[in-house]
């Protein structure tokens, strides 16, 4: 069992470190936003709410994209059984992406948004001002350039090597991600068309092509940690992505309910959105099935925990919490409330945050010359998973409670309460949400600490030594589960 099969996989390390650093930044700004909900002048006027929110959401997108790219650079050479086409290009694109992202964040914080638009030539091609797509024109162009360079690199690697279902599904997801981002450059004056094209980016990313990336990464980690035959995993993967695309593409209709499109979208959106939990439930069954059928006990049990957590929390967040307010008669009352925020937080955490961390948890030890971290380090990492998940669960339950009360006071009561008066009634829930965010940050810091915890890591040499001891002691020797060979 080798540690790093192809030397060019090492470029993934840069992307993983950059992604986790940006993740920390995202959580810090999220905590600032949470405080601004209950302490209105917190950090004002230095960092107004709208600027902090842009940074929080943009950091989420950038660090996940960086995590996807690092995962692809690690996965594709191993699946294709060949070195990466150009490791130097991968390293150069990382620094371009990181610097462009950092400068954009500085721009958000340093000057008013309208000033930033004038400074960056927004009048040449008006693309700014839309949620999640606030990036200035030069940044958007930079993202396209980085994406094209990245896709060229991994596509050329795949073309010269072995093709597997995992690598092809991942490549399809990554190409789809890049193509749908092009709609961010379309900003028509007609508000209905504008919202349509906006959802073509936002929805068809997170409920379309990103699900292909999710499925491929999860399948890769399970292949490596369980030893289950690829044929079995391939069948699951094909069925999952078929359902994900069928429900996700037509499920875009649940964003078309009230933006001026024909009424039949209420039926299409409701029916297919109600089916969206199916692929996530299948993903949960898939993960548990593979772990139960495993042929080996991989020494990296922390990575297995993150992978199983991805499937379960992805189903809860993207599936169950999405389902509770996706039908148009329900969405009529819940749209834009804290119920939406609860769904968004748990869906992103369960489906995408955890799958990137699963990949990092599996790959980083090999990038550091070992099969798995020490038992002590893995124990801390597993505690980090539970602390982060408890923190997120606290946030989501608080937001759900806030959303239910908000719907009742604002939209169902016979004497509706005004928006700001309603917000005052939700303060209790917002404080609980802030506490959950603090717990999440503590869990994330514990995860970072696990990288620096000592103890004997699991290496090929330690496994060989253990095999020799086992042979020497005869049948009476029993290796610990975390140390059994691949």
């Amino acid at each position: 069992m080798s540690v790093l099969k192809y030397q060019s996989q090492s470029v993934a390390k840069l992307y993983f470190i950059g992604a986790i650093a940006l993740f920390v930044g995202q959580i810090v700004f999220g905590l600032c936003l949470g405080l601004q909900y209950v302490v209105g002048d917190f950090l004002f006027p230095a960092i107004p709410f709208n600027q902090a929110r842009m940074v929080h959401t943009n950091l989420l997108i950038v660090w996940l994209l960086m995590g996807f790219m690092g995962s692809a650079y690690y996965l594709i050479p191993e699946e294709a059984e060949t070195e990466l086409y150009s490791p130097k290009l991968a390293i150069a694109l990382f620094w371009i992406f990181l610097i462009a992202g950092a400068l954009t964040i500085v721009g958000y914080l340093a000057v008013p948004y309208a000033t930033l638009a004038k400074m960056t030539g927004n009048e040449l091609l008006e693309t700014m001002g839309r949620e999640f797509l606030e990036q200035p024109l030069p940044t958007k162009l930079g993202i396209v350039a980085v994406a094209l360079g990245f896709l060229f690199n991994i596509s050329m690697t795949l073309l010269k090597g072995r093709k597997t279902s995992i690598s092809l599904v991942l490549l399809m997801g990554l190409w789809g991600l890049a193509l749908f981002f092009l709609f961010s450059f379309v900003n028509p004056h007609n508000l209905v068309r504008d919202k349509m094209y906006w959802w073509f980016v936002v929805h068809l990313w997170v409920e379309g092509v990103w699900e292909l990336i999710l499925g491929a990464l999860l399948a890769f980690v399970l292949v490596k940690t369980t030893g289950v035959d690829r044929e079995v995993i391939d069948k699951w993967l094909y069925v999952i992505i078929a359902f994900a695309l069928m429900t996700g593409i037509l499920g875009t209709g649940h964003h078309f309910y009230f933006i001026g499109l024909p009424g039949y979208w209420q039926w299409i959106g409701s029916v297919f959105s109600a089916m969206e939990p199916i692929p996530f439930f299948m993903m949960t069954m898939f993960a548990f099935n593979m772990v139960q059928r495993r042929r080996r006990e991989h020494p990296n049990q922390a990575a297995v925990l993150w992978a199983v957590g991805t499937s379960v929390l992805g189903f809860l967040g993207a599936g169950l919490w999405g389902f509770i307010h996706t039908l148009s008669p329900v969405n009529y009352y819940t749209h834009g409330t804290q119920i939406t925020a609860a769904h968004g937080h748990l869906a992103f955490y369960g489906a995408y945050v955890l799958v990137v961390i699963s990949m990092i948890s599996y790959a980083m030890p090999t990038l550091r010359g070992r099969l798995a971290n020490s038992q002590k380090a893995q124990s801390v990492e597993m505690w980090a998973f539970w602390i982060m998940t408890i923190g997120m669960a606290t946030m989501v339950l608080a937001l759900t409670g806030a959303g239910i009360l908000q719907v009742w006071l604002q939209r169902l009561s016979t004497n509706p309460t005004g928006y700001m008066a309603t917000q005052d009634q939700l303060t209790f829930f917002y404080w609980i949400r802030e506490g959950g965010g603090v717990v999440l940050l503590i869990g994330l810091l514990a995860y970072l600490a696990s990288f620096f915890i000592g103890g004997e890591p699991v290496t090929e040499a330690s496994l060989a030594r253990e095999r020799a001891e086992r042979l020497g002691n005869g049948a009476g020797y029993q290796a610990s589960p975390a140390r059994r060979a691949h």
Side-chain angles (χ1 to χ4, degrees), residues 69-103:
M69 292 168 75
S71 299
Y73 282 133
Y74 183 91
L75 182 156
I76 292 294
E78 196 160 321
E79 289 291 293
E81 297 183 339
T82 182
E83 293 286 359
L84 190 63
Y85 180 77
S86 176
K88 290 182 179 178
L89 176 61
I91 294 170
L93 291 174
F94 167 78
W95 289 110
I96 293 170
F97 195 22
L98 185 66
I99 293 169
L103 289 176

Side-chain angles (χ1 to χ4, degrees), residues 262-314:
Y264 55 72
W265 280 110
Q266 293 186 20
W267 286 96
I268 296 172
S270 295
V271 170
F272 285 93
S273 293
M275 295 168 63
E276 282 192 59
I278 295 175
F280 282 96
F281 180 71
M282 294 170 66
M283 210 170 287
T284 304
M285 298 294 294
F286 164 56
F288 277 99
N289 197 338
M290 294 309 102
V291 171
Q292 287 176 350
R293 297 173 61 168
R294 63 188 180 275
R295 293 183 173 182
R296 57 176 175 245
E297 291 288 349
H298 194 277
N300 191 343
Q301 288 299 297
V304 177
L305 177 62
W306 289 107
V308 173
T310 299
S311 63
V312 174
L313 291 164

Side-chain angles (χ1 to χ4, degrees), residues 195-254:
K195 296 304 291 183
M196 272 187 66
Y197 294 144
W198 184 78
W199 283 118
F200 286 174
V201 182
V202 178
H203 174 95
L204 291 174
W205 264 14
V206 299
E207 295 175 69
V209 293
W210 280 28
E211 290 185 16
L212 306 188
I213 299 169
L214 163 64
L217 297 185
L218 187 61
F220 177 79
V221 173
L222 291 172
V223 163
K224 296 300 179 181
T225 56
T226 65
V228 175
D229 287 341
R230 277 183 177 270
E231 290 78 7
V232 176
I233 288 181
D234 286 351
K235 289 175 184 176
W236 277 93
L237 183 60
Y238 287 140
V239 174
I240 288 169
I241 64 167
F243 268 87
L245 288 177
M246 179 183 71
T247 60
I249 292 173
L250 288 173
T252 312
H254 68 229

Side-chain angles (χ1 to χ4, degrees), residues 19-20 23 26-27 59-61 63-64 67-68 71 210 214 217 306 309-310 313-314 344-361 385 388-389 392 440 444 447:
I20 293 298
F23 184 25
Q26 184 216 341
I27 300 304
L59 281 176
L60 168 70
I61 295 166
W63 91 257
L64 287 177
F68 290 159
S71 299
W210 280 28
L214 163 64
L217 297 185
W306 289 107
T310 299
L313 291 164
H345 278 79
L346 188 55
F348 266 103
Y349 175 76
Y352 301 118
V353 171
L354 290 188
V355 80
V356 170
I357 297 180
S358 300
M359 194 70 196
I360 294 173
S361 179
F385 166 82
M388 287 174 65
T389 300
M392 179 54 69
L440 178 65
L444 179 54
Y447 175 67

Side-chain angles (χ1 to χ4, degrees), residues 80-268:
E81 297 183 339
T82 182
E83 293 286 359
L84 190 63
Y85 180 77
S86 176
K88 290 182 179 178
L89 176 61
I91 294 170
L93 291 174
F94 167 78
W95 289 110
I96 293 170
F97 195 22
L98 185 66
I99 293 169
L103 289 176
T104 302
I105 298 301
V106 170
Y108 290 157
L109 297 174
V111 297
Y113 191 67
T115 304
L116 182 64
K118 290 181 180 179
M119 291 170 57
T120 54
N122 190 57
E123 69 278 0
L124 299 175
L125 181 62
E126 296 178 349
T127 68
M128 296 175 68
R130 291 179 291 176
E131 188 182 5
F132 303 126
L133 303 178
E134 297 97 344
Q135 306 86 15
L137 179 61
T139 302
K140 285 192 175 76
L141 293 173
I143 290 172
V144 170
V146 169
L148 288 175
F150 161 70
L151 289 168
F152 170 77
N153 209 354
I154 61 169
S155 298
M156 293 299 290
T157 305
L158 198 59
L159 285 172
K160 68 174 183 174
R162 181 182 68 154
K163 285 79 175 171
T164 67
S165 58
I166 290 175
S167 59
L168 291 173
V169 168
L170 177 63
L171 192 65
M172 185 165 64
L174 292 168
W175 270 102
L177 184 158
L179 290 173
F180 282 120
F181 182 71
L182 296 179
F183 282 102
S184 69
F185 289 92
V186 183
N187 193 359
H189 292 292
N190 182 289
L191 189 59
V192 177
R193 289 182 60 212
D194 169 62
K195 296 304 291 183
M196 272 187 66
Y197 294 144
W198 184 78
W199 283 118
F200 286 174
V201 182
V202 178
H203 174 95
L204 291 174
W205 264 14
V206 299
E207 295 175 69
V209 293
W210 280 28
E211 290 185 16
L212 306 188
I213 299 169
L214 163 64
L217 297 185
L218 187 61
F220 177 79
V221 173
L222 291 172
V223 163
K224 296 300 179 181
T225 56
T226 65
V228 175
D229 287 341
R230 277 183 177 270
E231 290 78 7
V232 176
I233 288 181
D234 286 351
K235 289 175 184 176
W236 277 93
L237 183 60
Y238 287 140
V239 174
I240 288 169
I241 64 167
F243 268 87
L245 288 177
M246 179 183 71
T247 60
I249 292 173
L250 288 173
T252 312
H254 68 229
H255 300 298
F256 296 165
Y257 291 157
F258 312 118
I259 67 170
L261 289 175
Y264 55 72
W265 280 110
Q266 293 186 20
W267 286 96
I268 296 172

